[in-house]
């Protein structure tokens, strides 16, 4: 059934969403690249990827995994096929969140190489960098069917845009993309 597959997909990727949103909410301060330039003379990653955002992103995303694990442990979703101990969920969420932060940083690295300034839009790259990172890291500990990967990528484009528009309206972000 499609809705079950959709729910399973969003449930799986949720820690990565929270990691990405939390990095934005709690981010700022020292950038991960420490202001250094690449051999092309442009910034390595840029001021949009900070230590604080990365650490809080991974923490909040991993915490979501703990909540997910507890909910599954209480058999809240006994009609769905979610297996694994609480620790399994925490480990998976840690990988998904770390992957999301790394993917976002790789996306910024690519933007700088393409001479796109920090905060300027890069359609699809902005929406998908973090989720591709999350899927790659998540796949190491909990591989999912390829149709779920496609569903996650497709829905993330719209959920990320929606999330950014909400963040823009709330004044958390300066731009709506
Ligand atoms: C609960 C714990 C442990 C911590 C809470 C951490 C926290 C403050 C989370 C906030 C999550 C939230 C609902 C934020 C809404 C406001 C918002 C969108 C803020 C910032 O968004 C920034 C944006 C930055 O992106 P960029 O750096 O790449 O430009 O991030 C984009 C947004 C997202 C990726 C998604 C945000 C949406 C969600 C976290 C919830 C949406 C989830 C679904 C629709 C799926 C639900 C499905 C199931 C199965 C439950
Ligand atoms: N690891 C991270 C990721 C994000 N952020 C914060 O979240 C904001 C939004 O992230 P994003 O839109 O990805 O960054 P941009 O500022 O748009 O930069 P870029 O062009 O490099 O994507 C950043 O400005 C930064 O304050 C952070 O501090 N640390
Ligand atoms: Mg980005």
């Amino acid at each position: 059934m499609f809705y079950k597959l959709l729910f399973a997909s969003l449930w799986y990727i949720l820690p990565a969403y929270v990691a990405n949103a939390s990095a934005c909410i709690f981010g700022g301060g020292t950038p991960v690249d420490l202001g250094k330039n690449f051999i092309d003379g442009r910034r390595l990653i840029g001021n949009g990827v900070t230590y604080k955002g990365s650490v809080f992103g991974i923490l909040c995303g991993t915490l979501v995994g703990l909540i997910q694990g507890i909910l599954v442990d209480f058999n809240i979703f006994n009609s769905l096929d979610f297996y694994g101990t609480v620790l399994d969920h925490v480990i998976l969420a840690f990988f998904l969140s770390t992957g999301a932060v790394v993917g976002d940083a790789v996306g910024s690295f690519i933007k700088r190489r393409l001479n796109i300034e920090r905060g300027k839009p890069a359609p699809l790259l902005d929406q998908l960098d973090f989720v591709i990172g999350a899927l790659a890291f998540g796949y190491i500990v909990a591989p999912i069917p390829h149709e779920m990967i496609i569903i996650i990528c497709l829905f993330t484009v719209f959920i990320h845009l929606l999330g950014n528009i909400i963040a823009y309206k709330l004044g958390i972000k300066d731009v709506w993309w």
Side-chain angles (χ1 to χ4, degrees):
M1 217 208 35
F2 178 72
Y3 286 110
K4 186 172 159 177
L5 202 61
L6 176 62
F7 182 85
S9 303
L10 294 177
W11 178 257
Y12 177 87
I13 204 66
L14 192 61
Y17 284 179
V18 171
N20 198 59
S22 307
C24 182
I25 293 169
F26 302 112
T30 312
V32 169
D33 69 3
L34 300 171
K36 290 194 172 47
N37 287 343
F38 194 57
I39 46 170
D40 56 11
R42 291 190 287 273
R43 279 292 291 277
L44 189 60
I45 296 175
N47 287 335
V49 179
T50 68
Y51 282 104
K52 207 159 72 182
S54 306
V55 169
F56 273 96
I58 293 169
L59 270 178
C60 291
T62 305
L63 209 63
V64 167
L66 178 67
I67 295 167
Q68 287 178 315
I70 292 168
L71 293 180
V72 169
D73 223 35
F74 276 113
N75 220 3
I76 305 274
F77 303 105
N78 58 358
S79 61
L80 291 161
D81 312 316
F82 294 124
Y83 300 113
T85 62
V86 175
L87 183 63
D88 289 333
H89 281 89
V90 171
I91 291 170
L92 172 61
F94 176 75
F95 272 71
L96 288 167
S97 308
T98 307
V101 168
V102 172
D104 185 58
V106 171
S108 293
F109 175 83
I110 294 171
K111 282 173 78 171
R112 297 304 90 82
R113 303 292 72 76
L114 297 173
N115 208 5
I116 301 170
E117 274 173 56
R118 180 224 169 157
K120 293 281 178 294
L124 289 184
L125 184 60
D126 282 331
Q127 286 76 41
L128 291 176
D129 53 8
F130 81 97
V131 85
I132 291 171
L135 286 170
F137 275 54
Y139 208 84
I140 299 169
V141 285
I144 52 172
H146 294 168
E147 52 264 44
M148 277 175 69
I149 293 177
I150 293 164
I151 290 173
I152 289 170
C153 288
L154 280 177
F155 276 81
T156 297
V157 174
F158 300 103
I159 293 172
H160 181 274
L161 266 173
L162 194 72
N164 271 275
I165 290 168
I166 295 171
Y168 173 71
K169 296 265 184 219
L170 292 174
I172 302 167
K173 262 196 90 150
D174 300 331
V175 292
W176 59 266
W177 56 82

